[in-house]
Amino acid sequence: MTTREEISQIENIIKQWDSNQKIWAHGFLSAFLDTRHQNEKDEIFEPQRYTILYGSQTGHSKHAAEIIDKCLKQNHHISEYFSIEDFSIKKWGEVQNLLIVVSTQGDGIPPITAQDALETLQGKRIFQFDGLSYGVLALGDISYPKFCQAGIDFFDALEKRGANPIIPIEKVGVDYEKATLEWTQRIIKSQSSEGIIKKEYTNNTQGHSKYNRNNPFFATILTKQRITGTDSNKEVYHIELSLEGSGLNYTPGDTLGIHHSNPPQLVHDILNYLNVSPNKTALFKESSEEAEVILKQYVELTKLSVHVLNNFQKYTRSNYLQQILSNGEATEKYLYHKDILDLLHDLELQTSFDDFIKLLSPVSPRLYSISSSSKEVGKEVHITTNTIRYKNEWREKEGACSTYISDRVEEGQSIPIFIESNEGFKLPKDKQAPVIMIGAGVGIAPYRSFIQEIDNIESVTKPKSWLFFGEQHFKSDFLYQREWLHYLKKSTITHIDTAFSRDQEQKVYVQHRIAEKQERLWQWINNDNAHIYICGDKKHMAKDVEESLKTLISKQGGLTHEAAITYLDGLKKTQRFQLDIY
């Protein structure tokens, strides 16, 4: 404690100082005291150690792991992240805090890289993780019935093994970046009241461009051309967009996202059903908007999800919806065939517009496989779109984004877009490895980007490539026919096999062509280490092609059906078998 004599001595010294000396002394003492206070805090604050494991198919979970790692380090904690397949499950019990980030593929399936770990956790081996603190961030698509199921399975399996959850599981949709940061902050706060939360995070995943899903770039439409014949049952468009000035980059296999507007007729019909004026104002996301604008721009109308069905069931107490939701097969069928207007009619629901919009999900941008290589087209990006129009039950229906492109925008206009990487659908790292490309309809799109990329390889020798393509009619539906024949002529493509299902009495599909060529295909796969790709419809085409590959492997390799499945799974795990299905 300072005595009166010491204070008097200090005052006498200060009286002799000029104003600049007094200012300097004030700064010096302030800095000294701040440093001392921080040192006292540092003695109390103990950094936590975190091990982050990600299971990723397209790259989103890996990106989320990077966000978590950066946030933890900004807050003075120690962290490192690994692919879940590269971190032995035997080590899990040795870490201080385990954070798992895992996506869900399709209807409840974990990524290939995470399947072994989940099977081990759910298996019969006796081991416990008593004392292990863990958290699970689950990524998924809300439109699927088993939203984030892979993450749920990891969370439950660890809890059954004696591990202690730090906080409850967090389930997030496609807009995951902000949610990932907030989840990490909750982890930090729950474990240390002294943690300093820093919110800085910049998404630099696309060539340091400032444009992304939440801040789209308005790209000018350079070309919009229908590439199916006028007598075709399909309405397919080739679209070329300018990326000039965006800073956006992509590689073959990546996807282009488009922020679209909903079909005007559907918006009109919903407003009429609810007896709401298009100009009626309502509060949406803390701002006042007209009803027509909200339905056109901000909410999902053409796609239903389990989340939305649950919202409507809780609001209406509907036994009809409860029965649908209690049966997985019935739920999937309802989601596939219905939209918001169907749901209103089925429930005979009359409600206020304000209550109605609270039950809906935010609109999701649509993703399209990129059908160009920047090595070929420079600062452009190309996509191939199939316009969805069909009559279902009692009225005509339209795809939201596909008709936005075909009907509501023209060349010279600009549309909001972004690029998303797809790490699960890439050309081989070995640029001489053969590729087998199997697709139907617009599933041919990414292969156009693959072949353009291969054509621009500087090496004298190009890798062998084999294209299998299926559609309805040769004359009207052979997408990019001239380009394929051009690449075949110059040997950029080695083989092309086509299957036009309705050009003969008996329907022929790509899986039939695979069966016909199975001996040579087996040589490519087993002897030449070829990489196999499937792009297209997941319900029929992709499933049928995968079955034909299993039959091929079994027959040509002399394996049982079970051994053929194991062989194909091995190709998946080594990224020699990749799928882009929808």
Side-chain angles (χ1 to χ4, degrees), residues 284-315:
F284 186 79
K285 289 189 176 180
E286 301 180 355
S287 63
S288 183
E289 295 281 2
E290 291 184 349
E292 185 176 41
V293 173
I294 292 172
L295 295 188
K296 272 188 178 179
Q297 303 291 341
Y298 300 124
V299 292
E300 193 66 72
L301 300 181
T302 61
K303 290 169 61 178
L304 292 177
S305 65
V306 173
H307 173 71
V308 168
L309 292 188
N310 278 321
N311 287 348
F312 274 84
Q313 197 281 324
K314 290 174 184 176
Y315 182 76

Side-chain angles (χ1 to χ4, degrees), residues 253-511:
D254 289 347
T255 56
L256 180 90
I258 298 179
H259 289 274
H260 61 283
S261 63
N262 281 313
Q265 186 63 49
L266 180 58
V267 171
H268 173 78
D269 290 345
I270 291 173
L271 290 172
N272 275 355
Y273 179 89
L274 295 173
N275 195 25
V276 172
S277 166
N279 300 322
K280 171 188 166 55
T281 58
L283 189 65
F284 186 79
K285 289 189 176 180
E286 301 180 355
S287 63
S288 183
E289 295 281 2
E290 291 184 349
E292 185 176 41
V293 173
I294 292 172
L295 295 188
K296 272 188 178 179
Q297 303 291 341
Y298 300 124
V299 292
E300 193 66 72
L301 300 181
T302 61
K303 290 169 61 178
L304 292 177
S305 65
V306 173
H307 173 71
V308 168
L309 292 188
N310 278 321
N311 287 348
F312 274 84
Q313 197 281 324
K314 290 174 184 176
Y315 182 76
T316 61
R317 307 287 183 184
S318 165
N319 290 329
Y320 168 71
L321 268 188
Q322 184 60 50
Q323 289 178 357
I324 290 172
L325 287 164
S326 64
N327 182 302
E329 189 175 332
T331 302
E332 187 174 352
K333 183 178 179 182
Y334 194 89
L335 294 176
Y336 184 75
H337 290 288
K338 304 283 188 175
D339 62 16
I340 291 295
L341 185 57
D342 292 325
L343 183 57
L344 288 172
H345 277 275
D346 288 348
L347 297 176
E348 298 180 351
L349 178 62
Q350 290 294 334
T351 185
S352 71
F353 186 77
D354 295 83
D355 282 351
F356 170 67
I357 58 175
K358 290 175 184 176
L359 303 174
L360 306 180
S361 292
V363 67
S364 295
R366 302 301 194 254
L367 299 177
Y368 291 91
S369 297
I370 290 173
S371 54
S372 60
S373 164
S374 56
K375 290 180 180 177
E376 177 74 21
V377 303
K379 294 185 182 300
E380 295 180 13
V381 62
H382 302 175
I383 57 171
T384 311
T385 69
N386 180 32
T387 307
I388 306 299
R389 305 183 202 273
Y390 63 100
K391 188 170 185 178
N392 182 250
E393 297 176 352
W394 56 285
R395 63 191 176 87
E396 300 287 339
K397 294 186 178 179
E398 300 177 345
C401 193
S402 65
T403 56
Y404 168 73
I405 292 169
S406 62
D407 300 353
R408 301 193 289 281
V409 296
E410 298 297 338
E411 289 182 3
Q413 287 183 246
S414 295
I415 60 174
I417 63 101
F418 58 94
I419 303 288
E420 283 203 351
S421 64
N422 182 2
E423 296 304 319
F425 203 76
K426 291 294 178 192
L427 281 166
K429 292 180 180 177
D430 176 2
K431 295 188 182 300
Q432 292 301 313
V435 293
I436 300 167
M437 303 167 288
I438 307 165
V442 293
I444 203 170
Y447 304 139
R448 184 173 183 265
S449 73
F450 281 14
I451 293 301
Q452 286 185 357
E453 185 84 0
I454 290 170
D455 193 53
N456 281 274
I457 292 175
E458 294 181 1
S459 172
V460 176
T461 58
K462 309 287 186 187
K464 293 193 298 183
S465 59
W466 196 337
L467 175 66
F468 287 86
F469 172 65
E471 249 298 357
Q472 292 185 356
H473 299 286
F474 168 80
K475 184 179 177 182
S476 57
D477 300 322
F478 195 171
L479 307 181
Y480 301 111
Q481 177 187 0
R482 290 183 180 178
E483 293 186 28
W484 301 127
L485 295 178
H486 166 73
Y487 288 125
L488 184 64
K489 187 176 180 180
K490 63 186 294 193
S491 299
T492 302
I493 295 180
T494 313
H495 303 290
I496 297 179
D497 278 280
T498 58
F500 295 101
S501 60
R502 301 188 186 182
D503 277 350
Q504 58 283 313
E505 187 175 343
Q506 187 173 0
K507 291 183 179 178
V508 177
Y509 299 107
V510 286
Q511 60 266 27

Side-chain angles (χ1 to χ4, degrees), residues 71 74-76 181 185 196-200:
C71 183
Q74 284 176 337
N75 288 282
H76 316 300
L181 188 60
Q185 291 167 356
I196 304 166
I197 302 299
K198 295 186 177 183
K199 295 187 178 180
E200 300 91 338

Side-chain angles (χ1 to χ4, degrees), residues 119-127 161:
E119 286 173 9
T120 302
L121 284 176
Q122 294 176 327
K124 295 180 180 179
R125 290 181 60 190
I126 300 172
F127 59 90
R161 296 284 184 178

Side-chain angles (χ1 to χ4, degrees), residues 83 95 99 155 158 188 204 227 330 404 424 466 513 533 541 558:
S83 172
V95 305
L99 303 182
F155 187 90
L158 278 167
I188 294 169
N204 289 327
I227 56 174
Y404 168 73
W466 196 337
R513 298 299 186 218
Y533 301 87
M541 177 266 181

